[in-house]
Amino acid sequence: MKKRHLTTAIALAAAGSLALAGCTNGATDDGGGSGSGEGGDTITLSFLPGWTDGLSTAYLLEDQLGKLGYTVEMEELTDAAVIYAGLANGDFDMYPSAWSEATHAQYMEQFGEKIEDLGSYYEGASLTIAVPDYMDDINSIEDLKGKADRFGGEIIGIEPGAGLTKQTQDVMLPEYGLGSEYELVTSSTGAMLATLQSKIDAKEDVVVTLWRPFWANAAFPVKDLQDPKGAMGGTEGLHFLGKLGFAEEFPEAADYIKGIKLDDDAYGALESLITGDEYKDDPKGAVQAWLKDNADAYPGLIA
């Protein structure tokens, strides 16, 4: 098992728990690139640092929009509901990685009329239930039935406000008749990963909520459980969302953002560098390293 990510993941989760809603981390990029950027307009990106897809794309956008001539401000929040509400209210300009089609559909139903979809950068994202790959007799969610004692009656989840948590609690558990046997334990992504590592180190049974794309699928020896009832939902795209009127206010940025498309290799490399120990506490350095090896990741990328 590769452990290089875990220290940083726990640190990210800790940072997320300490960041207060509406608290700005003060990180800015004053541009200076070759683009016009409408004369240095400011774009505020708001994201959850404990959710590494948004963390990765936020720092990629900080670099790229800065090179277009925009001033970029980074604002860290701790709850998806606050992100969607703040975006709808125009408190900031962008959310750089939204699971808006299914996982966070409830927030789009509530706030979607005041949010602008700027495009999808990744297709095929999914929610999963996973166990260590040494558990040869557990290959489907159906196999969990009647075996709660082996797992201490717990499924280890992530943040209470996550769409993954809601899907698992409200759909998967009742669909498979597991609600009376298992408790979905929620805390944070970092805590879930710490539990997963300790259980794997001890070769003990554990079942967790995971998702794809996520670096942990490659870093830990885990396998997705088959989901014959489709209770974890289908695949969806990961979207850039803007406040209403974003494209009109920032037309050059909107046009650039619309063209960003990442495949598994390009996205995986970016997330691995952003969350890895080599560039711990240096996400800008991680982006620069990614640019050197992925200069042709998508048309229009400013290396």
Side-chain angles (χ1 to χ4, degrees), residues 62-100:
E62 182 195 42
D63 175 85
Q64 295 295 289
L65 296 180
K67 289 174 177 173
L68 285 174
Y70 292 94
T71 297
V72 180
E73 294 186 349
M74 308 286 269
E75 186 170 2
E76 297 179 357
L77 298 178
T78 58
D79 188 273
V82 176
I83 290 266
Y84 283 89
L87 194 59
N89 195 44
D91 295 336
F92 45 84
D93 300 308
M94 273 197 66
Y95 178 23
S97 185
W99 296 57
S100 52

Side-chain angles (χ1 to χ4, degrees), residues 23-29 59 62 72-76 284:
C23 176
T24 303
N25 73 354
T28 62
D29 187 324
Y59 278 98
E62 182 195 42
V72 180
E73 294 186 349
M74 308 286 269
E75 186 170 2
E76 297 179 357
K284 295 183 180 182

Side-chain angles (χ1 to χ4, degrees), residues 1-225:
M1 178 178 66
K2 301 175 183 177
K3 295 184 178 179
R4 65 186 182 83
H5 285 100
L6 191 55
T7 301
T8 302
I10 295 173
L12 289 171
S17 66
L18 291 171
L20 299 175
C23 176
T24 303
N25 73 354
T28 62
D29 187 324
D30 59 2
S34 58
S36 61
E38 299 296 327
D41 288 345
T42 298
I43 294 177
T44 304
L45 305 178
S46 190
F47 60 100
L48 285 74
W51 292 4
T52 54
D53 53 311
L55 178 76
S56 301
T57 49
Y59 278 98
L60 174 61
L61 283 176
E62 182 195 42
D63 175 85
Q64 295 295 289
L65 296 180
K67 289 174 177 173
L68 285 174
Y70 292 94
T71 297
V72 180
E73 294 186 349
M74 308 286 269
E75 186 170 2
E76 297 179 357
L77 298 178
T78 58
D79 188 273
V82 176
I83 290 266
Y84 283 89
L87 194 59
N89 195 44
D91 295 336
F92 45 84
D93 300 308
M94 273 197 66
Y95 178 23
S97 185
W99 296 57
S100 52
E101 295 177 9
T103 303
H104 291 159
Q106 75 272 25
Y107 299 131
M108 292 301 286
E109 292 174 2
Q110 185 174 359
F111 302 110
E113 291 184 356
K114 296 182 178 180
I115 290 175
E116 192 168 312
D117 190 342
L118 303 175
S120 170
Y121 72 88
Y122 180 90
E123 300 294 338
S126 61
L127 306 178
T128 64
I129 301 295
V131 300
D133 61 10
Y134 52 74
M135 298 184 69
D136 295 334
D137 63 329
I138 305 293
N139 296 295
S140 167
I141 297 175
E142 291 179 317
D143 294 336
L144 298 175
K145 185 75 172 178
K147 300 182 177 67
D149 289 348
R150 292 174 53 180
F151 301 92
E154 295 181 341
I155 295 174
I156 308 301
I158 57 171
E159 289 80 359
L164 173 58
T165 298
K166 180 177 176 60
Q167 186 74 19
T168 303
Q169 184 70 61
D170 297 349
V171 182
M172 189 280 282
L173 288 176
E175 186 72 21
Y176 285 95
L178 300 176
S180 61
E181 294 185 55
Y182 291 85
E183 175 188 2
L184 177 59
V185 178
T186 60
S187 56
S188 69
T189 300
M192 179 273 289
L193 293 174
T195 298
L196 178 60
Q197 177 174 294
S198 67
K199 293 290 187 179
I200 289 174
D201 287 347
K203 291 288 184 182
E204 294 179 349
D205 295 344
V206 64
V207 56
V208 300
T209 63
L210 280 176
W211 61 93
R212 293 180 182 275
F214 187 32
W215 62 261
N217 293 292
F220 292 87
V222 293
K223 60 181 178 182
D224 296 343
L225 295 183

